Amino acid sequence: MNPNEPEMARPVLAVLFLCALIAASVWILRPFLPALIWATMVVIATWPLLLRVQRRLGNRRTPAVIAMTLLVLLILVVPLSLAIATLVDNADRIVEWGKDLTEFRLPLPPAWVGELPLVGARAEEAWAQLAAVGTAELAAKAAPYAGNLTKWFVSEIGSFGLVFVQFLLTVALSAILYASGERFAAGVRRFGHRLGGARGESAVVLAGQAIRAVALGVGITAFVQSILGGIGLAIAGLPFVPVLTALMFMCCIAQLGPALVLAPAVFWLYWSDSSGWGTFLLVWAIFVGTMDNFLRPLLIRQGADLPLLLILAGVIGGMLAFGLVGIFVGPVVLAVAYTLLEAWINERPSAAEEAETAAGVVAVIESPDHSQPPAS
C-alpha cells in the first residue's frame, strides 16, 4: 500500500459508527420523541408569553416557569381528565344509548325533504331506505369499518392512560425547556451553523418562526373554537360536554371544523322537541364554525407569512403520515421547506457571483460560433 494514498477504511468506519450511534440513540429515545416534539412546539409558540410573564414577575425566571407550566398543565391535562371522568361516570348510560340506537327506527321522510333543491330526491331516497332497513342492519354493515377505525384509533393514541402519561411528560419537558430555553436555542443555532454556515443558522430561525405561525394559527384557533363550541353545548344543556369539547378540539386541529360535533348536537335538540335551544345552537354553530376564516389568517401572520393551503396540506398530510403528532410536524416541515425555498430564491447573489455570471454571458455572446449548431 502506498503511504501517500489516503486511507479509506478509517473515515468509512467512522461514518458507519456515527450512523449506528445516532440510530441507537433515536431508538432509545423513541418513546419520548412525541412528548418532546409537543413540548418543543408549545415552548416555541409561547416563548414571548413567558418573557412577558417574567417581566411582570420582576425578571425572575423560576416563578415565570412555574406559571407557564401550570398554564400548560391546565390546557392539556385538565380537559383530558374531565373527558375521562365524564366517560367513566356515564358508562352505563352510554351502553343503554347504544342498545336504544340499535332498536331505533326512523319515520318516513317528511314532504319538505324531497323539495330540497339539487339533493332533494337523493336525500328522500336515502332517508326512506334507512327508515326501511332500520339501524340494526346499518350497524351490521358498518361493523367492519368501525372495527378498522377502532384499531387505527387504538394504534395511534393507545389508551387514555397512555395519552395522560404523554401529556404529563410533555408538561415536564416544557418546564425544562422554559427554564433553559436560551441555552437550548443557542445550541440548535450552533448546530445549524455547523451544518450549513450562516444559511443553516438562518434555517433554524425560520423553523422557529414557522413553528410559531403553525401553533398560533392552528392551535389557538382550534382552542378558541372548541371552547366557544363547548360553552354553547353547555348552555343548550347537552350531556357529555367535556367529551364533545375534546372531540371538537381534535376536529378543529385536523382542520375538519367544529361542525362535525355541533351539527349532530343541533339535530338532536330539534329531534328532542327543543327547537328554541336548537335554533340558538344553530346560530352559535354558524358563528363558531366561520370564525376561523378571519382568526386563523390573523394569527398565522403574527408568526410568519405562510399560505393557508400549505398549512392545510401539512396538517392533513402530517396526520396521515405520522399520526397525532403529525398534526404539528407536517405543517412545520412544509413551512420550513417553503420558507427556505423562498429565501433561497429571493437571495441576492454576491458581487463576485454577479461578475462571474456577467463574464460568462459576455463570453457566450462574443463567441464566433455560439449561434451555430454543434457538429454531428
Side-chain angles (χ1 to χ4, degrees):
M1 178 178 179
N2 190 348
N4 294 326
E5 294 181 356
E7 184 180 356
M8 297 298 296
R10 180 179 298 177
V12 170
L13 291 177
V15 170
L16 291 177
F17 177 78
L18 288 177
C19 293
L21 185 61
I22 293 173
S25 301
V26 172
W27 182 263
I28 294 172
L29 296 175
R30 192 164 58 97
F32 306 98
L33 288 180
L36 180 60
I37 294 173
W38 281 93
T40 304
M41 305 291 179
V42 169
V43 171
I44 291 178
T46 59
W47 188 258
L49 181 60
L50 171 70
L51 297 180
R52 192 176 305 172
V53 173
Q54 181 176 331
R55 287 193 297 267
R56 293 290 182 88
L57 297 177
N59 287 325
R60 292 180 297 173
R61 175 58 61 87
T62 301
V65 171
I66 294 175
M68 293 299 298
T69 304
L70 291 177
L71 179 62
V72 175
L73 184 67
L74 180 66
I75 293 176
L76 291 181
V77 177
V78 172
L80 181 65
S81 302
L82 292 176
I84 295 174
T86 305
L87 288 176
V88 172
D89 294 339
N90 297 273
D92 297 336
R93 190 177 179 184
I94 295 174
V95 173
E96 293 178 1
W97 283 1
K99 294 180 179 178
D100 295 339
L101 185 61
T102 58
E103 300 173 357
F104 175 75
R105 281 188 174 274
L106 284 175
L108 293 177
W112 58 266
V113 175
E115 298 175 357
L116 292 175
L118 300 179
V119 297
R122 293 185 179 181
E124 185 177 18
E125 182 182 356
W127 190 323
Q129 184 179 2
L130 182 61
V133 301
T135 56
E137 184 175 347
L138 183 64
K141 292 181 179 180
Y145 303 100
N148 294 332
L149 180 62
T150 303
K151 292 178 182 178
W152 175 84
F153 186 77
V154 171
S155 65
E156 290 296 333
I157 67 173
S159 62
F160 281 115
L162 180 59
V163 176
F164 189 79
V165 172
Q166 287 286 346
F167 279 172
L168 289 179
L169 185 58
T170 300
V171 173
L173 293 175
S174 299
I176 296 173
L177 294 176
Y178 278 135
S180 305
E182 291 87 356
R183 183 165 58 87
F184 287 116
V188 174
R189 293 183 68 168
R190 287 197 301 269
F191 179 76
H193 186 79
R194 290 287 295 174
L195 287 179
R199 184 172 295 176
E201 187 174 352
S202 64
V204 173
V205 177
L206 290 173
Q209 294 175 352
I211 291 173
R212 188 165 299 159
V214 171
L216 288 174
V218 177
I220 294 182
T221 302
F223 179 75
V224 172
Q225 284 186 298
S226 59
I227 291 297
L228 292 179
I231 292 174
L233 294 175
I235 294 176
L238 272 83
F240 304 108
V241 173
V243 178
L244 295 177
T245 303
L247 179 60
M248 201 178 336
F249 178 74
M250 295 304 301
C251 292
C252 293
I253 283 290
Q255 304 300 293
L256 300 176
L260 292 179
V261 177
L262 294 178
V266 171
F267 178 79
W268 184 81
L269 286 174
Y270 278 113
W271 190 267
S272 303
D273 294 330
S274 300
S275 57
W277 287 117
T279 304
F280 159 76
L281 189 60
L282 176 61
V283 176
W284 189 254
I286 294 174
F287 167 71
V288 174
T290 56
M291 67 182 304
D292 60 333
N293 294 326
F294 61 88
L295 180 60
R296 183 169 51 201
L298 178 64
L299 292 173
I300 285 178
R301 277 157 179 76
Q302 299 296 323
D305 190 7
L306 299 174
L308 294 181
L309 183 60
L310 184 76
I311 301 298
L312 179 63
V315 168
I316 298 177
M319 183 175 61
L320 294 177
F322 304 107
L324 290 178
V325 74
I327 292 173
F328 284 101
V329 174
V332 167
V333 171
L334 290 185
V336 171
Y338 173 80
T339 49
L340 288 178
L341 180 62
E342 187 179 34
W344 178 71
I345 292 175
N346 297 329
E347 183 180 5
R348 294 182 59 86
S350 61
E353 292 176 345
E354 289 182 348
E356 183 178 355
T357 303
V361 172
V362 171
V364 171
I365 294 176
E366 294 180 351
S367 177
D369 56 345
H370 69 278
S371 59
Q372 297 179 1
S376 57

